[in-house]
Amino acid sequence: MTNETLTLEAVDVDGAIRETAEAVAGDTRAGFLAKAGLLSGGAFGGSTLLAFTAEAAQAQSRSDVAILNFALTLEYLEAAFYTEAEEMGALDGELALFNQVVAAHERAHVRGLRSALGSAAVKRPRFDFRGTTESASAFTSTAIALEDTGVQAYSGQAPRIKSDAVLVSAGRILTVEARHAAWIRDIAGQDPAPRAFDRPLTMRQVLAAVAETRFIRPARRRRRRQGGSNTGSGTSPRFTG
Amino acid sequence: MSDVISVELLDSRTAVSEALDESRASTRADFFRKAIVGGGAFAAGGVLIAGLPSIALGQKSASQDQEILNFALLLEYLESEFYVEAVDRGALSGETLEFARVVRDHELAHVEFLRSALGNNARSKPQFDFKGTTSDAGMFRATSVVLEDTGVQAYLGQAPRLRRQTLPAAVSIVSVEARHASWIRRIVGKPDYDGRAANYPAPAVLDSPLTRSQVESRVQSTGFIQG
Amino acid sequence: MTPGAHAFATGRGGVIAALAALALIAAAALAGAGPARAQQPAVPPQEAAAPPEAAAPQPFVLSRPGKLSRWAFVRRRTAARSRPSASARRVTSLTTRTPEGTDNLVLALERVEVGGRLWVRVRLPILPNNSTGWVRRKDLGVYQSVSTRLVIDTKRFTARLVRRGRTVFRARVGVGEGRWPTPKGEFFVRNRLSGFRDPIYGPLAFGTSARSAVLTDWPAGGFVGIHGTNQPGILPGRVSHGCIRLRNQDIRRLDRRMPVGTPITIR
């Protein structure tokens, strides 16, 4: 993994994925949930997406938390991409409408997933879209890739989700991402539905694809120096004075 | 041109068949023991999500999976026959015709997949009367929107009721149905969709599941299924 | 690449290769039903063949001083050109470091796409003052936004910081003597330095993109700074070699409100 921030470790907050999944079958981890302040029963108001019954929340296993954080990472990425494109003024016509609608959807997905995860939610990364939000053609090919990858990511995780309530919510997002994908593909003149069966990808495959874009800025990089300190150097700035 | 089912899906289909077959070979007690020891959610209750119909999960089992897949098969028969007939009737042209051809091939592939997974337990194809909706381009498009949207909602409603081992099959189909729905909505509404979000290819933040009986009554109200 | 993806590739480089890779991974898993349905836009003609002015599209404004301005780090050494074209005259080279040893940054004024390539017109720290040039978007980092704007009036000896249209800071300043005037025009804050041994700069200094037009032999090129002073009594007035001097308590106040990258207008 070349990108040091977006690794399996980053979304697999406490190693749930790397444990053998079978070992946590039936494990409600109620103690962990209580400590993490994760319990979130009932509706979350308005159009919030991921409302669970109290009993469903109790059953939210560590691996489901990891899967939701994986989904949240992808939604952060999409929301940030589309939101930046709104500000960059490179789109018009139906492309601009697509962007506006989908940006709102992805931001809502972020809110819903953060709400469901509570304090267990991963933090929003910082992004660098490298000009892809500033050119209609680059935007279009990037959006196709993001939406198709989102479909494959959700498809890949669905069978691994333990909680039925979480599964329903994931399914409801999956189909919307598929609609996004078909929409932008059609705008671009590509096949909206290239196959009879969509193919899932594993979490690792999706994270690798995302890392290759280099859209997510590394967290631990040397801080950019906009300022300097000459303490101890004895010299002064060479301004004209 | 319909897709050849990939090797992966062949395996998935085989797995699904085997999963459905196993209840015949086991005793009831064996079946329960397998269901519990095999892991995965064994929820006896319903899933209540704010604003949505209560999805009665029932008891997850091979025979329930079979029933669900047969329900899916019925919907896929309906869609595939609708598109086959629409292409044959010759009233479509341009992108509507292209949509009908591609989606027909997809739905036929879905039918083949489900029949093969169900084996001898696959239900038979009923008779359909599409009541002129296949002979008029505008009615075809409107009907397609309903069929595809309903298909999405039907799969979303059934997915949590399936055992997890059967789920990949449904998941690989539902996203394609959603692509179909988006595609035909775009054909109908582009480029500005009359300014109404309800007309967009992606009309909502989330798609909503429907229960089986809600889907059945929607289908019945079309009158397409004869007998 | 799949046929559709190729037509939307916007050029060479790591970014596009990465995008193509991502599209490829996604598309390879999903593709197979045939070629793109509609004709793709043709690959744009070579830049040299097209008359530059006729092909120039409308630039998108990135900075409106005092409302929302954008700056970016210089990601790699690159040429700033007179027009958004690889064949246009090189105005200067932009380096990744400033003479003060900080990471170099530029104010981003406008953006345009020409022949599938993104270009950004940036404010340049060179003589003649008020120079701008076009650089490739890929050679700049992420845009950072500021809503502030610093306005220096060399006749009234005032400094005023505006944020989103409202004045949030005022102070009296010293400016360049007659023979070493503070240059007029549009500039930006390039860095912030502190910890000097010499008290003549006070507790901190802001480096700007402004250059003295007369002290061209000055070490590091004669950049104009905004800094404190150990001679507050001589402010306001024409007192310096071109720098803008504030009393130390005022530069500290300014420091709390003015981020690096802030555009500067000197009248």
Side-chain angles (χ1 to χ4, degrees):
Chain A
M1 189 65 67
T2 51
N3 181 322
E4 71 257 39
T5 50
L6 192 62
T7 61
L8 212 51
E9 287 71 24
V11 293
D12 183 14
V13 178
D14 53 8
I17 297 170
R18 287 164 292 166
E19 284 180 15
T20 47
E22 293 69 22
V24 301
D27 180 353
T28 62
R29 293 279 196 264
F32 161 79
L33 291 172
K35 267 184 288 196
L38 192 59
L39 296 180
S40 44
F44 292 96
S47 61
T48 306
L49 330 172
L50 300 179
F52 303 98
T53 58
E55 97 192 20
Q58 293 278 356
Q60 204 176 117
S61 69
R62 291 172 9 165
S63 64
D64 277 359
V65 168
I67 291 169
L68 288 174
N69 268 322
F70 169 60
L72 177 57
T73 300
L74 297 178
E75 298 290 345
Y76 276 143
L77 174 64
E78 291 177 322
F81 173 76
Y82 294 117
T83 300
E84 188 176 293
E86 286 182 301
E87 294 158 12
M88 286 290 116
L91 311 177
D92 59 11
E94 192 184 350
L95 202 52
L97 175 65
F98 167 85
N99 186 56
Q100 184 194 338
V101 171
V102 174
H105 288 176
E106 311 300 12
R107 288 193 293 260
H109 294 167
V110 166
R111 286 196 297 276
L113 287 163
R114 282 173 64 108
S115 175
L117 283 160
S119 60
V122 288
K123 287 197 181 359
R124 187 187 312 267
R126 294 182 316 154
F127 298 102
D128 177 357
F129 293 111
R130 302 172 182 271
T132 58
T133 55
E134 299 173 70
S135 149
S137 55
F139 167 86
T140 300
S141 54
T142 305
I144 290 173
L146 290 179
E147 296 298 333
D148 279 343
T149 301
V151 169
Q152 297 177 292
Y154 279 99
S155 303
Q157 294 309 305
R160 306 183 60 243
I161 295 171
K162 293 190 177 345
S163 153
D164 287 336
V166 173
L167 176 62
V168 170
S169 296
R172 300 176 70 194
I173 296 177
L174 163 69
T175 58
V176 171
E177 302 292 349
R179 288 176 182 270
H180 294 168
W183 188 357
I184 186 62
R185 281 173 156 271
D186 201 40
I187 288 174
Q190 299 200 24
D191 296 323
R195 308 194 59 141
F197 303 90
D198 271 331
R199 268 221 188 107
L201 288 178
T202 66
M203 189 181 289
R204 210 171 273 282
Q205 287 171 317
V206 172
L207 292 176
V210 169
E212 265 202 73
T213 65
R214 295 183 301 149
F215 286 160
I216 301 190
R217 290 157 72 188
R220 276 187 297 280
R221 209 173 141 177
R222 176 184 67 87
R223 260 182 67 76
R224 288 290 215 147
R225 298 202 304 135
Q226 319 155 10
S229 172
N230 290 333
T231 308
S233 71
T235 61
S236 295
R238 294 159 173 191
F239 298 134
T240 58
Chain B
M1 185 55 223
S2 93
D3 274 285
V4 174
I5 297 178
S6 70
V7 171
E8 284 155 15
L9 282 166
L10 202 59
D11 289 346
S12 170
R13 180 193 63 191
T14 308
V16 168
S17 296
E18 287 171 352
L20 294 174
D21 280 346
E22 73 184 29
S23 63
R24 287 202 232 113
S26 318
T27 63
R28 197 155 170 76
D30 285 349
F31 159 72
F32 274 115
R33 187 164 52 239
K34 275 186 188 147
I36 295 164
V37 168
F42 189 67
V47 175
L48 179 65
I49 295 176
L52 295 178
S54 169
I55 299 170
L57 293 175
Q59 202 135 283
K60 292 187 188 181
S61 67
S63 61
Q64 178 171 272
D65 282 0
Q66 194 172 282
E67 206 191 309
I68 292 169
L69 293 188
N70 262 320
F71 174 55
L73 178 57
L74 174 65
L75 298 177
E76 298 289 349
Y77 277 141
L78 173 62
E79 289 177 320
S80 57
E81 287 303 298
F82 173 74
Y83 293 116
V84 164
E85 193 175 292
V87 171
D88 289 346
R89 286 281 155 93
L92 309 180
S93 62
E95 54 190 353
T96 303
L97 176 58
E98 187 183 346
F99 166 83
R101 282 202 188 112
V102 170
V103 175
R104 171 199 62 188
D105 292 348
H106 290 175
E107 309 302 10
L108 287 170
H110 298 165
V111 164
E112 186 188 335
F113 174 80
L114 290 167
R115 285 182 59 87
S116 147
L118 286 159
N120 292 335
N121 296 306
R123 59 171 304 145
S124 56
K125 183 166 62 177
Q127 291 284 92
F128 298 107
D129 173 0
F130 294 112
K131 310 208 181 293
T133 59
T134 51
S135 321
D136 173 273
M139 289 182 63
F140 165 80
R141 284 189 285 265
T143 306
S144 300
V145 172
V146 172
L147 290 182
E148 297 296 334
D149 278 346
T150 302
V152 170
Q153 295 183 284
Y155 277 101
L156 286 179
Q158 298 307 304
R161 305 181 65 221
L162 292 167
R163 291 175 303 164
R164 290 297 190 272
Q165 65 214 76
T166 317
L167 188 59
V171 169
S172 66
I173 292 174
V174 71
S175 57
V176 174
E177 302 293 347
R179 288 176 183 268
H180 295 166
S182 178
W183 185 3
I184 186 61
R185 279 167 160 272
R186 177 159 199 260
I187 289 171
V188 171
K190 67 180 176 184
D192 61 12
Y193 308 95
D194 233 3
R196 297 183 56 228
N199 296 336
Y200 292 163
V205 171
L206 295 174
D207 278 322
S208 297
L210 289 176
T211 64
R212 176 156 174 171
S213 54
Q214 286 172 323
V215 173
E216 280 167 346
S217 64
R218 199 181 272 192
V219 167
Q220 250 147 45
S221 69
T222 64
F224 289 162
I225 301 182
Q226 306 297 298
Chain C
M1 284 186 263
T2 58
H6 184 271
F8 288 95
T10 58
R12 302 182 300 273
V15 175
I16 304 309
L19 274 180
L22 176 57
L24 195 60
I25 289 169
L30 291 178
R37 295 176 295 120
Q39 270 306 99
Q40 299 306 326
V43 174
Q46 293 304 310
E47 284 168 348
E53 309 321 316
Q58 195 66 6
F60 177 74
V61 173
L62 290 169
S63 287
R64 293 193 161 82
K67 295 209 179 90
L68 184 87
S69 308
R70 294 185 168 96
W71 61 269
F73 284 116
V74 178
R75 205 197 285 274
R76 61 181 71 83
R77 187 189 174 91
T78 187
R81 299 190 181 276
S82 58
R83 287 178 296 103
S85 162
S87 55
R89 176 180 64 89
R90 176 194 293 250
V91 173
T92 190
S93 288
L94 278 183
T95 57
T96 58
R97 305 280 272 181
T98 66
E100 299 79 39
T102 60
D103 290 328
N104 197 13
L105 53 98
V106 287
L107 194 66
L109 301 170
E110 294 177 315
R111 177 210 70 232
V112 80
E113 184 174 3
V114 180
R117 297 199 166 129
L118 291 169
W119 293 85
V120 181
R121 190 163 68 87
V122 302
R123 197 164 289 300
L124 296 173
I126 61 168
L127 288 171
N129 279 303
N130 299 295
S131 292
T132 65
W134 292 91
V135 301
R136 289 288 301 277
R137 175 71 185 90
K138 67 177 178 63
D139 293 335
L140 299 178
V142 180
Y143 295 134
Q144 321 258 8
S145 307
V146 299
S147 334
T148 45
R149 175 191 193 189
L150 186 68
V151 182
I152 307 290
D153 188 323
T154 61
K155 293 184 182 51
R156 298 198 169 95
F157 309 108
T158 55
R160 194 162 58 93
L161 187 73
V162 176
R163 183 191 296 129
R164 295 192 198 103
R166 286 183 54 243
T167 299
V168 296
F169 167 92
R170 265 185 228 278
R172 303 307 295 276
V173 300
V175 299
E177 293 186 27
R179 49 195 161 147
W180 305 304
T182 300
K184 314 280 187 298
E186 302 296 325
F187 309 97
F188 62 94
V189 175
R190 199 156 70 140
N191 49 25
R192 173 199 180 280
L193 308 174
S194 61
F196 323 120
R197 289 253 182 96
D198 192 331
I200 71 164
Y201 293 100
L204 63 104
F206 291 100
T208 76
S209 58
R211 303 279 283 265
S212 167
V214 293
L215 293 169
T216 50
D217 291 338
W218 205 261
F223 279 99
V224 168
I226 302 170
H227 55 76
T229 180
N230 62 348
Q231 291 184 286
I234 65 172
L235 307 187
R238 291 185 205 289
V239 300
S240 76
H241 288 93
C243 279
I244 296 155
R245 298 186 191 175
L246 279 73
R247 295 182 309 165
N248 289 345
Q249 63 261 47
D250 291 336
I251 194 109
R252 287 198 187 93
R253 270 197 308 131
L254 181 61
D255 183 40
R256 286 196 288 277
R257 292 164 173 79
M258 184 173 76
V260 165
T262 294
I264 305 168
T265 300
I266 304 179
R267 305 189 172 121

